[in-house]
């Protein structure tokens, strides 16, 4: 008898039977199918029945927990969860899911416990941040510190790292702060201002003044955030690190920025550190003396703007002028004196008038003439006015000179002086129209002819086109 077909039939039959068995949905699948078909209440009833009958399959327990949780049956859900966790206490994925469920249902204590376990198992920085916020709201600084210290510092968000640094610093653990904030500062875009201040002060607490200033010098390269430099200088002064304070205050980035330089000088002056003011200004003078006149004036205008906030009698003005007189150039002194006069008037410059000597006034003769006019010294004012060589002056000073000449000189003197300068080629091109307009109508035609021919060399001028005797004047 051939048994092969019988055996084959038996194997096929058994395969069909086994296949059919495995195709029958299990309890977990049945629960999922009920939920999918919108029969959640039946699924909940069956899950609770399985639990009551002592079924402790982890997958079924987890399904039963979530079904009860969604239904608001929190007591039974908690009982089922306890049974599940006895079997799998270290399932991080489940703890995450539980945290989400507890957060959605507003169960704050259960959420806290779930997050504690997520952090314990994974050291996840995001979960640590969420958990630390719970402790912060409770005023529980110790647990907040513990939780924030569990993940790797480099993985913390900056806000959490700064909070951790603060908690450590107030406990006298500044030595740990640099290790937390330092790595974050190395990542683009670097620490925020708050973070930089935390890191800087932590380094100072450790006595690492050089490292602190090295950091600040790197930060200086960010031109948009230079405002912290005078803050850092103030911290260094309070710790007695004068040399490092000067190193930061006299860096190229600090000196390049007029507002920053003025704030630092003001800070030193306010703290009575006039010796340091002189050293800062001396460093600045070496830089300022290389600037073109227009840039120098604009730079010093910023300095005066900052300094005058303290009042016209501010000690800083005197310190600056004294240091300039000792170590600076007449050009810088003259620029500073004129800037003070332009912004503060004679009242503002009067306390320092003694420091503005002839060598300074000769650099800015138009300013000198204005100054002596206010002081009612007409002879000195006239002397400086007549000695002014217009091509050497800035555009603004040239037209100021013309306005003063119209006020101080008689029509005959004015015509003669303008003709003399025109014939000598000492009238800048942009002033020619203004000079022709300023020629006295009732003056000598010979003077007007001389000016015209010097400017245009076209023969006789059209006198009818010249202004009337009482026409507008340059003021």
């Amino acid at each position: 008898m051939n048994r092969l077909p019988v055996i084959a039939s038996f194997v096929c039959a058994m395969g069909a039977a086994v296949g059919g068995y495995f195709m029958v949905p299990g309890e977990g699948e049945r629960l999922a199918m009920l939920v999918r078909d919108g029969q959640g209440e039946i699924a909940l009833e069956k899950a609770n029945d399985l639990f009551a009958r002592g079924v402790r399959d982890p997958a079924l327990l987890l399904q039963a927990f979530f079904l009860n949780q969604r239904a608001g049956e929190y007591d039974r859900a908690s009982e089922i969860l306890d049974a599940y966790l006895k079997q799998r206490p270290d399932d991080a994925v489940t703890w995450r899911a539980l945290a989400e469920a507890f957060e959605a249902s507003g169960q704050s204590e259960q959420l806290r416990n779930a997050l504690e376990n997520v952090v314990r198992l994974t050291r996840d920085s995001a979960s640590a941040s969420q958990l630390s916020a719970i402790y912060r709201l409770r005023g529980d600084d110790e647990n907040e510190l513990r939780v924030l210290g569990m993940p790797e510092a480099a993985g913390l968000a900056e806000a959490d790292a700064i909070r951790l640094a603060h908690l450590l610093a107030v406990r006298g653990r500044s030595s740990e702060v640099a290790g937390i904030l330092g790595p974050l500062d190395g990542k683009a875009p670097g620490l925020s201002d708050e973070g930089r201040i935390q890191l800087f002060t932590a380094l100072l607490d450790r006595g690492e003044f050089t490292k602190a200033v090295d950091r600040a010098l790197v930060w200086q390269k960010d031109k948009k955030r230079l405002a912290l430099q005078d803050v850092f200088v103030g911290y260094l002064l309070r710790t007695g690190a004068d040399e490092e304070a000067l190193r930061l205050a006299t860096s190229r980035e600090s000196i390049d920025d007029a507002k920053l330089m003025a704030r630092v000088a003001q800070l030193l002056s306010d703290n009575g550190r006039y010796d340091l003011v002189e050293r800062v200004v001396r460093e600045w003078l070496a830089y300022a003396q290389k600037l073109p006149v227009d840039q120098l004036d604009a730079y010093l205008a910023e300095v005066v703007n900052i300094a005058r906030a303290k009042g016209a009698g501010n000690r800083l003005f005197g310190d600056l002028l004294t240091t300039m007189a000792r170590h600076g150039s007449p050009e810088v002194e003259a620029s500073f004196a004129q800037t003070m006069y332009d912004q503060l008037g004679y009242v503002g410059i009067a306390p320092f008038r003694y420091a503005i000597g002839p060598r300074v006034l000769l650099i800015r003769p138009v300013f000198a003439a204005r100054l002596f006019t206010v002081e009612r010294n007409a002879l000195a004012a006239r002397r400086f006015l007549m000695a002014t060589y217009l091509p050497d002056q800035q555009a603004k000073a040239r037209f100021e000179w013309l306005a003063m000449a119209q006020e101080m000189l008689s029509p005959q003197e004015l015509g003669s002086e303008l003709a003399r300068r025109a014939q000598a080629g000492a009238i800048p091109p942009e002033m020619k129209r203004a000079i022709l307009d300023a020629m006295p109508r009732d003056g000598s035609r010979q003077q007007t002819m001389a000016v015209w021919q010097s400017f245009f060399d076209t023969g006789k001028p059209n006198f009818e086109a010249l202004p009337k005797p009482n026409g507008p004047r340059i003021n």
Side-chain angles (χ1 to χ4, degrees):
M1 178 179 178
N2 190 351
R3 294 173 171 263
L4 188 57
V6 176
I7 295 173
S9 300
F10 176 77
V11 170
C12 289
M14 288 300 295
V18 171
Y21 173 80
F22 282 106
M23 290 177 66
V24 175
E27 295 295 348
E29 290 174 297
R30 291 194 186 97
L31 293 176
M33 291 167 65
L34 287 170
V35 171
R36 182 198 64 194
D37 295 339
Q39 302 182 58
E41 291 183 4
I42 297 175
L44 174 63
E45 184 179 343
K46 288 184 69 65
N48 287 337
D49 179 61
L50 290 169
F51 182 72
R53 287 192 283 116
V55 175
R56 294 296 183 267
D57 177 73
L60 289 173
L61 288 173
L62 206 56
Q63 282 182 296
F65 164 77
F66 283 115
L67 286 167
N68 280 277
Q69 184 76 8
R70 290 169 192 150
E73 300 290 341
Y74 299 135
D75 290 340
R76 181 170 294 169
S78 178
E79 181 184 0
I80 295 171
L81 180 61
D82 287 340
Y84 172 82
L85 292 174
K86 286 179 181 178
Q87 299 183 61
R88 296 185 178 177
D90 295 332
D91 185 350
V93 174
T94 298
W95 279 117
R96 287 183 191 275
L98 293 173
E100 292 176 5
F102 291 137
E103 183 177 20
S105 61
Q107 294 171 273
S108 58
E109 186 56 30
Q110 289 86 343
L111 171 60
R112 183 202 62 77
N113 180 61
L115 289 172
E116 280 281 10
N117 281 282
V118 172
V119 176
R120 173 180 65 84
L121 294 168
T122 67
R123 298 293 194 268
D124 175 56
S125 58
S127 300
S129 178
Q130 187 179 2
L131 180 58
S132 68
I134 293 174
Y135 286 126
R136 190 177 311 139
L137 288 172
R138 296 181 178 185
D140 189 348
D141 288 354
E142 292 301 326
N143 271 318
E144 184 185 0
L145 173 61
R146 174 183 61 81
V147 170
L148 287 176
M150 292 175 76
E152 290 291 331
L156 289 173
E158 181 181 341
D160 292 324
I162 291 174
R163 177 63 180 171
L164 175 59
H166 169 74
L167 293 171
L168 291 169
V170 297
R171 287 164 174 75
R173 295 166 61 182
S174 296
S175 59
E176 300 173 51
V177 172
I180 294 168
L181 297 181
L184 286 176
D185 192 44
K187 298 179 179 179
L191 290 170
S192 63
D193 286 354
E194 183 182 0
R196 289 180 176 183
I197 291 173
Q198 283 269 19
L199 179 54
F200 190 85
T201 54
L203 291 171
L204 295 188
D205 290 343
R206 293 168 60 174
E208 297 182 3
F209 305 132
T210 300
K211 284 187 178 180
V213 173
D214 288 343
R215 286 271 182 180
L217 290 173
V218 172
W219 295 333
Q220 274 189 340
K221 295 176 183 178
D222 183 354
K223 298 293 185 181
K224 296 179 181 179
R225 295 166 67 183
L226 281 173
L228 287 179
Q229 293 308 97
D230 51 327
V231 175
F232 293 150
V233 170
Y235 288 163
L236 288 163
L237 290 175
R238 285 195 286 274
T239 58
D242 291 357
E243 291 303 318
E244 292 300 334
L246 280 172
R247 184 162 75 97
L248 183 57
T250 57
S251 68
R252 180 57 186 267
E253 286 77 7
S254 295
I255 290 177
D256 276 350
D257 189 300
K259 291 182 180 179
L260 179 57
M261 196 287 290
R263 285 201 304 267
V264 169
Q266 187 69 66
L267 174 67
L268 296 172
S269 184
D270 289 346
N271 283 273
R273 299 305 307 272
Y274 306 118
D275 56 326
L276 299 183
V277 172
E278 179 170 351
R279 292 176 65 180
V280 169
V281 174
R282 285 177 64 179
E283 291 288 338
W284 168 76
L285 285 173
Y287 162 79
Q289 289 168 179
K290 301 173 185 176
L291 293 175
V293 174
D294 56 341
Q295 291 184 29
L296 179 62
D297 287 354
Y299 187 104
L300 286 171
E302 291 286 2
V303 174
V304 172
N305 256 329
I306 299 296
R308 73 173 177 173
K310 293 289 183 177
N314 178 22
R315 168 71 184 265
L316 179 58
F317 285 123
D319 291 338
L320 289 171
L321 282 169
T322 300
T323 304
M324 288 178 189
R326 290 176 183 169
H327 308 286
S329 65
E331 289 77 12
V332 175
E333 288 183 71
S335 177
F336 188 65
Q338 179 163 351
T339 301
M340 287 180 62
Y341 184 89
D342 289 344
Q343 294 198 33
L344 305 175
Y346 189 82
V347 173
I349 205 173
F352 317 106
R353 178 65 178 86
Y354 68 91
I356 306 172
R359 74 170 193 149
V360 174
L361 296 175
L362 285 171
I363 301 297
R364 302 280 177 110
V366 178
F367 164 62
R370 289 167 59 197
L371 195 60
F372 283 121
T373 299
V374 174
E375 294 174 346
R376 300 181 184 277
N377 188 341
L379 184 62
R382 181 186 177 94
R383 179 181 175 186
F384 276 98
L385 189 75
M386 301 300 282
T388 301
Y389 184 61
L390 291 174
D392 286 348
Q393 308 304 309
Q394 293 178 273
K396 179 183 176 183
R398 292 168 181 171
F399 288 95
E400 286 178 356
W401 177 90
L402 182 57
M404 292 184 68
Q406 289 178 276
E407 293 176 3
M408 295 175 62
L409 304 179
S410 68
Q412 183 63 31
E413 288 176 315
L414 178 61
S416 176
E417 181 64 19
L418 294 180
R420 182 184 69 81
R421 289 173 181 265
Q423 289 176 318
I427 301 294
E430 73 273 14
M431 292 188 70
K432 289 181 178 181
R433 180 71 260 177
I435 293 293
L436 286 171
D437 290 344
M439 287 296 294
R441 184 66 180 87
D442 52 356
S444 166
R445 286 199 171 202
Q446 185 178 2
Q447 293 172 348
T448 304
M449 178 77 75
V451 172
W452 185 281
Q453 290 178 336
S454 297
F455 286 171
F456 306 110
D457 194 22
T458 58
K460 297 181 179 180
N462 179 3
F463 288 102
E464 297 302 322
L466 294 176
K468 302 292 183 183
N470 296 321
R473 299 179 64 171
I474 306 291
N475 293 312

